[in-house]
Amino acid sequence: MIEFRSVTKTYPDGTAAVADFDLVIPPHRTTVLVGSSGSGKTTLLRMINRMVEPTSGTIEIDGASILDRDPVKLRRSIGYVLQNGGLLPHYKVVDNVTTVLRLEGTPRRQARDRALELLDTVGLDRALADRYPSQLSGGQQQRVGVARALAADPNILLMDEPFGAVDPIVRAELQTETIRLQSELEKTVVFVTHDIDEAFLLGDQVVILEKGAQVAQIGSPSEIIENPASEFVASFIGAERGARALRTKRTDHGTVLVDGTGRTQGVLVDDLVEGGA
Ligand code: ADP
Ligand code: MG
């Protein structure tokens, strides 16, 4: 479990990115932080692995303050996926993944074997292992980024708009893949996006943020869709979008997300994990 308690971040230039923020992030679930650009999502995410230090307040992982942890070790124990994959361009795909393992002292041969397994895990052909990142498509690079983030077998995975730079079809593939992966791995995932549809598809818990990381609403996708807490939330989730407006529909197989035309947009996972946290 990750817990933010009265966390504030004011950057040196005076920007109040996060003000008095509280949140409990349950283990083995996906929590999505969703909000417009500049609402403080990246700042929140980077405070979890101490790439950004809070101005005040505390963040705990499993009851212990992260300020008592060695920042480098903490960072290595948490997977982090960035928008552009964040791959090292001069390293082959496989070496982008093994770097993390080599830093931890895993012998070269063993690290390579593990990296190849991780390529399988994220649905990449092993034949791509010896290519350079520039020789892969955007979607493939993103998968390598996920493989690398998983290399140290972290309990926590931070994902910052990981699919923001790929086209809609690849994006949909990566979203589906993320749902599959998470049902296998059950990491504690903190996922940042500005796309509310993506938030509803991937999140067990969705946190809608306004400027300064003010929490507009927290809940499961169906709770938020069925009961928006304010005009702001209603507008943000597109309750006014007519044919685009999403609503939930219960079926024998669980809850699905349908648009205004009745077309299914996805399956909600929150039904499957109700009370699981
Ligand atoms: P988001 O990820 O939701 O777009 P960010 O956390 O990146 O939001 O930014 C929140 C606010 O903090 C914005 O106003 C942004 O301009 C500001 N900010 C982010 N990083 C810095 C920084 N290093 N120095 C000063 N201001 C920053
Ligand atoms: Mg951001």
Side-chain angles (χ1 to χ4, degrees):
M1 180 170 96
I2 306 170
E3 188 166 2
F4 285 80
R5 289 193 203 189
S6 317
V7 172
T8 293
K9 175 64 188 181
T10 307
Y11 284 105
D13 68 356
T15 306
V18 171
D20 202 19
F21 182 82
D22 292 293
L23 179 68
V24 172
I25 296 174
H28 311 298
R29 301 279 177 266
T30 300
T31 291
V32 180
L33 308 176
V34 59
S36 311
S37 176
S39 54
K41 307 180 295 295
T42 296
T43 302
L44 288 172
L45 205 64
R46 288 175 162 232
M47 285 196 283
I48 297 173
N49 66 4
R50 295 191 64 183
M51 289 170 77
V52 171
E53 299 285 7
T55 309
S56 63
T58 56
I59 299 167
E60 294 182 354
I61 296 180
D62 296 333
S65 170
I66 59 170
L67 293 177
D68 298 332
R69 304 270 298 271
D70 174 67
V72 175
K73 283 187 189 150
L74 176 76
R75 222 161 283 151
R76 261 184 222 159
S77 73
I78 296 177
Y80 188 41
V81 185
L82 294 151
Q83 183 173 97
N84 52 16
L87 302 179
L88 302 164
H90 307 300
Y91 280 49
K92 288 176 179 175
V93 163
V94 65
D95 295 327
N96 264 282
V97 181
T98 57
T99 312
V100 182
L101 297 162
R102 299 283 293 144
L103 280 171
E104 290 192 325
T106 309
R108 190 176 299 277
R109 185 60 195 277
Q110 210 175 311
R112 185 176 169 94
D113 289 346
R114 175 79 186 119
L116 293 175
E117 276 174 26
L118 283 161
L119 294 186
D120 298 340
T121 304
V122 300
L124 277 179
D125 193 330
R126 288 181 176 213
L128 301 177
D130 292 308
R131 290 203 193 167
Y132 288 90
S134 62
Q135 298 170 311
L136 301 186
S137 71
Q140 289 169 332
Q141 289 184 28
Q142 262 332 101
R143 287 176 198 249
V144 178
V146 174
R148 190 184 53 179
L150 292 172
D153 197 21
N155 295 321
I156 298 172
L157 198 56
L158 309 178
M159 304 180 83
D160 195 351
E161 312 227 17
F163 314 140
V166 297
D167 68 65
I169 290 172
V170 174
R171 186 181 181 118
E173 265 171 37
L174 291 171
Q175 288 168 343
T176 307
E177 192 70 8
T178 303
I179 292 167
R180 178 193 65 78
L181 207 58
Q182 175 62 347
S183 70
E184 276 172 26
L185 303 177
E186 301 198 320
K187 302 289 183 190
T188 303
V189 176
V190 190
F191 190 106
V192 160
T193 182
H194 60 264
D195 178 345
I196 189 68
D197 295 347
E198 182 165 81
F200 286 153
L201 278 178
L202 301 182
D204 299 307
Q205 167 171 269
V206 173
V207 183
I208 300 182
L209 299 170
E210 294 185 60
K211 200 171 179 316
Q214 292 303 300
V215 175
Q217 189 165 4
I218 299 184
S220 69
S222 27
E223 281 164 1
I224 295 173
I225 293 167
E226 287 166 11
N227 221 338
S230 62
E231 281 298 314
F232 172 83
V233 173
S235 155
F236 190 77
I237 70 176
E240 86 295 356
R241 286 184 298 183
R244 284 275 295 126
L246 297 171
R247 60 194 168 78
T248 55
K249 188 172 121 189
R250 307 213 185 276
T251 73
D252 292 347
H253 312 292
T255 305
V256 295
L257 207 54
V258 293
D259 67 17
T261 67
R263 207 146 50 113
T264 302
Q265 295 288 324
V267 179
L268 290 184
V269 284
D270 59 306
D271 262 20
L272 308 173
V273 297
E274 206 101 282

